[in-house]
């Protein structure tokens, strides 16, 4: 016997009547799991900034580009300011071992303060790049600002960037280049403040019309 689940209905009118925190939590969690990444930048004054983002998305592989949402820039956003001034930033995957420090980067520090100094997150510099990475993150992307689109409905900004360099733990790579992120305990975000560790269920071959779904041949 299947248990009948009772579904609650919430309308736009209901949302408008909700207390602010309840509305934030509901709307931010109802769309599903999101990526958890630390974006690191450096100001023209040499101040290293790092902040957690849950909106980074893949936009294309040829060319390799990604995007993320920046909250309204009517106030100073250090990450946005640094990216616009230098043109570069890094994306660093959050793992279960650093979630408390990663979450703390959402605190509102002054521009002259570095979140690296307020947490146990460690700086890492690669080659001749002046943009910082977060040390020990299993996947790190060096990105270049390409464009931005202002979303008039809520004042946010969609930042578009090219992926210039990819660094990753070789143990995560499958034969076809796919990275199995759960092997590094990479987390996702549920809502604003819930951190979860996804686990791989299965991989499948490319879906083709009229052909039954088959398991991936690229599994180790």
């Amino acid at each position: 016997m299947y248990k009948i689940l009772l579904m609650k209905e919430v309308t736009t009118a209901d949302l408008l009547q909700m207390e602010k925190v309840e509305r934030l939590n509901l709307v931010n969690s109802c769309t599903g799991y999101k990526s958890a990444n630390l974006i690191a930048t450096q100001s023209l004054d040499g101040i290293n900034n790092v902040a957690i983002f849950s909106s980074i998305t893949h936009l294309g592989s040829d060319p390799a580009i990604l995007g993320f949402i920046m909250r309204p820039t009517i106030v100073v956003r250090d990450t946005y300011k640094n990216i616009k001034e230098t043109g570069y930033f890094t994306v660093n995957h959050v793992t279960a071992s650093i979630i408390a420090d990663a979450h703390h980067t959402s605190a509102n520090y002054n521009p002259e303060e570095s979140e690296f100094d307020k947490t146990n997150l460690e700086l890492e510099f690669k080659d001749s790049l002046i943009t910082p990475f977060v040390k020990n993150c299993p996947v790190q992307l060096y990105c270049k600002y390409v464009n931005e689109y202002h979303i008039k409905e809520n004042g946010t900004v969609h930042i578009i960037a090219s992926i210039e360099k990819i660094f990753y733990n070789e143990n995560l790579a499958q034969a076809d280049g796919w990275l199995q992120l759960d092997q590094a305990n990479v987390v996702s975000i549920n809502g604003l403040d819930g951190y979860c560790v996804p686990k791989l269920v299965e991989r499948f071959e490319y879906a083709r019309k009229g052909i039954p779904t088959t398991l991936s041949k690229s599994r180790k």
Side-chain angles (χ1 to χ4, degrees):
M1 295 290 293
Y2 290 100
K3 182 179 180 180
I4 298 177
L5 299 178
L6 298 178
M7 301 292 287
K8 182 174 180 177
E9 178 183 350
V10 177
T11 66
T12 301
D14 296 328
L15 290 174
L16 293 175
Q17 296 301 316
M18 275 186 186
E19 186 270 331
K20 179 180 178 180
V21 173
E22 181 183 5
R23 182 175 66 251
L24 284 172
N25 285 331
L26 176 59
V27 175
N28 275 279
S29 61
C30 72
T31 53
Y33 293 108
K34 297 171 285 188
S35 63
N37 293 283
L38 290 164
I39 291 184
T41 59
Q42 187 179 94
S43 71
L44 292 179
D45 296 325
I47 305 298
N48 296 301
N49 172 270
V50 62
I52 192 162
F53 281 79
S54 63
S55 61
I56 296 178
T57 54
H58 161 84
L59 296 180
S61 57
D62 186 15
I65 57 174
L66 55 76
F68 70 94
I69 299 298
M70 181 71 63
R71 288 184 295 172
T73 56
I74 53 176
V75 298
V76 176
R77 304 285 182 193
D78 295 331
T79 299
Y80 179 74
K81 178 176 178 290
N82 294 346
I83 291 174
K84 290 302 295 287
E85 289 181 348
T86 68
Y88 293 91
F89 63 95
T90 67
V91 173
N92 307 266
H93 283 19
V94 176
T95 60
S97 63
I98 63 170
I99 55 175
D101 286 315
H103 186 73
H104 190 75
T105 64
S106 61
N108 188 24
Y109 284 105
N110 294 324
E112 67 273 12
E113 297 178 293
S114 172
E115 291 82 3
F116 284 105
D117 296 331
K118 305 299 180 180
T119 67
N120 291 317
L121 299 173
E122 295 184 65
L123 278 166
E124 180 182 9
F125 291 96
K126 298 180 186 291
D127 305 326
S128 59
L129 305 178
I130 63 171
T131 307
F133 294 81
V134 180
K135 190 175 181 179
N136 295 325
C137 288
V139 180
Q140 304 165 317
L141 311 176
Y142 178 62
C143 301
K144 180 180 180 180
Y145 172 90
V146 173
N147 206 348
E148 64 183 62
Y149 298 91
H150 289 259
I151 301 174
K152 64 180 181 180
E153 286 76 8
N154 64 356
T156 56
V157 180
H158 193 191
I159 304 294
I160 310 299
S162 61
I163 301 174
E164 301 292 305
K165 293 177 182 286
I166 303 173
F167 303 91
Y168 61 88
N169 184 329
E170 288 184 316
N171 294 331
L172 304 181
Q174 300 290 303
D176 60 351
W178 179 76
L179 301 181
Q180 187 172 339
L181 300 181
D182 65 333
Q183 291 186 344
N185 283 328
V186 172
V187 302
S188 61
I189 296 180
N190 180 196
L192 292 169
D193 51 19
Y195 294 83
C196 310
V197 180
K199 291 297 179 183
L200 176 67
V201 176
E202 192 53 87
R203 286 191 74 197
F204 297 100
E205 289 293 300
Y206 183 83
R208 291 178 173 81
K209 183 174 65 174
I211 300 176
T213 300
T214 57
L215 296 179
S216 172
K217 298 182 179 66
S218 300
R219 296 178 298 166
K220 282 185 177 178

